[in-house]
Amino acid sequence: QLPTGLYKKVLVILHDSILPYMNEPTLMIDFLTVAYGIGGAISLLALNGLFILIHQHNLEYPDFYKKLYSLLDPSIYHVKYRARFFHLADLFLSSSHLPAYLVAAFIKRLSRLALTAPPEALLMVIPFICNLFRRHPACKVLVHRPNGPEDMSEDPYIMEESSPSESRALESSLWEIRSLQNHYHPDVAMAATVLNQSLSEIEDDISGLLELSAYELFDKEVKKKAADVPLEFEQIRGLFGKKNDIFAEHFALD
């Protein structure tokens, strides 16, 4: 039983400062699986160590993707370790052998949570979702469903369902991204319109967007050079600006 603060410190350094120097890294399986089941930021941080054990030491974790899916909650776009989580999620969802219903569930849940996400997170997650469509073309039915959400009396997707296979994501439509096309931030609105067009085969590089902060967005907007806007106006004559005014004959504005 570790205090929460110490738990986080251990998990942050575990993947590169502890596991590589152990003769038997598999001894950490129980510790990491328990940490992964705790939830919140501790589960996010446990992903790094689990990733190494799964890919390098043949760890088989039952219901791994179900647990990963359950980690997606509104806080995922606001936590300190957001970049680390999405980097690993990108790796875990990179296999083309994943079933379409599973990837569709991740796409739909990320899109639904995006409705309350800050702009810096949206500029990262929209290309992330586009990459998932490129890897799994069967999921494009979410975007290109005939008549889309207009003919749906309600969204069949079940947000409260913890199992991706029972969420009915493939029956739904991606109306959330269409809503983001009217976002107050112009960069987000422009990014969301990408799904209206056919996606290129080359994936977007999201590595530079994972660490994007609100300060960087604000700084970028402040440093934009305003374009000169041509204005048509009539130059004022005299004190009151009237053409045939007696004051215009005897007074002038210097």
Side-chain angles (χ1 to χ4, degrees), residues 69-135:
Y69 180 75
S70 69
L71 291 180
L72 300 179
D73 58 28
S75 68
I76 199 68
Y77 291 125
H78 303 271
V79 291
K80 177 181 178 182
Y81 309 106
R82 182 186 71 204
R84 180 191 296 249
F85 172 78
F86 277 98
H87 170 69
L88 291 171
D90 190 45
L91 291 174
F92 290 133
L93 295 171
S94 61
S95 173
S96 59
H97 299 291
L98 294 174
Y101 76 82
L102 177 68
V103 179
F106 275 90
I107 290 174
K108 184 66 180 177
R109 194 171 183 90
L110 287 171
S111 302
R112 180 66 61 84
L113 296 174
L115 293 175
T116 57
E120 63 272 17
L122 292 174
L123 290 175
M124 175 272 301
V125 78
I126 292 175
F128 183 90
I129 290 173
C130 290
N131 286 347
L132 292 181
F133 279 123
R134 291 183 176 99
R135 297 169 193 167

Side-chain angles (χ1 to χ4, degrees), residues 6-171:
L6 184 57
Y7 229 135
K8 292 180 180 179
K9 289 180 180 178
V10 170
L11 291 171
V12 164
I13 64 170
L14 186 69
H15 66 288
D16 58 357
S17 300
I18 298 177
L19 287 179
Y21 302 101
M22 294 181 68
N23 292 327
E24 295 185 45
T26 51
L27 292 173
M28 299 300 295
I29 289 177
D30 288 341
F31 173 75
L32 285 169
T33 51
V34 170
Y36 191 46
I38 289 177
I42 292 178
S43 289
L44 298 185
L45 294 174
L47 275 174
N48 254 337
L50 278 177
F51 174 72
I52 291 176
L53 294 181
I54 290 173
H55 282 259
Q56 298 180 13
H57 302 283
N58 300 318
L59 169 65
E60 291 187 8
Y61 188 98
D63 295 329
F64 174 80
Y65 284 99
K66 182 178 178 181
K67 178 61 182 175
L68 183 65
Y69 180 75
S70 69
L71 291 180
L72 300 179
D73 58 28
S75 68
I76 199 68
Y77 291 125
H78 303 271
V79 291
K80 177 181 178 182
Y81 309 106
R82 182 186 71 204
R84 180 191 296 249
F85 172 78
F86 277 98
H87 170 69
L88 291 171
D90 190 45
L91 291 174
F92 290 133
L93 295 171
S94 61
S95 173
S96 59
H97 299 291
L98 294 174
Y101 76 82
L102 177 68
V103 179
F106 275 90
I107 290 174
K108 184 66 180 177
R109 194 171 183 90
L110 287 171
S111 302
R112 180 66 61 84
L113 296 174
L115 293 175
T116 57
E120 63 272 17
L122 292 174
L123 290 175
M124 175 272 301
V125 78
I126 292 175
F128 183 90
I129 290 173
C130 290
N131 286 347
L132 292 181
F133 279 123
R134 291 183 176 99
R135 297 169 193 167
H136 307 274
C139 294
K140 290 183 179 179
V141 67
L142 292 174
V143 179
H144 303 298
R145 187 177 300 284
N147 300 324
E150 289 83 0
D151 287 354
M152 289 183 178
S153 57
E154 61 180 11
D155 193 339
Y157 173 68
I158 307 172
M159 183 71 175
E160 296 75 20
E161 177 58 55
S162 60
S163 174
S165 60
E166 304 294 331
S167 65
R168 300 178 62 190
L170 268 179
E171 302 173 30

Side-chain angles (χ1 to χ4, degrees), residues 165-224:
S165 60
E166 304 294 331
S167 65
R168 300 178 62 190
L170 268 179
E171 302 173 30
S172 183
S173 175
L174 218 59
W175 58 266
E176 295 90 349
I177 301 298
R178 186 177 296 185
S179 298
L180 292 178
Q181 293 175 5
N182 298 313
H183 197 272
Y184 69 86
H185 197 291
D187 290 349
V188 173
M190 184 178 297
T193 58
V194 172
L195 287 178
N196 292 345
Q197 308 152 9
S198 57
L199 295 174
S200 62
E201 295 183 2
I202 302 175
E203 291 191 8
D204 295 323
D205 183 12
I206 64 169
S207 57
L209 301 172
L210 292 174
E211 300 281 357
L212 191 64
S213 66
Y215 174 80
E216 289 174 316
L217 279 185
F218 183 79
D219 194 52
K220 177 185 173 183
E221 292 296 323
V222 169
K223 290 182 178 178
K224 277 185 179 178

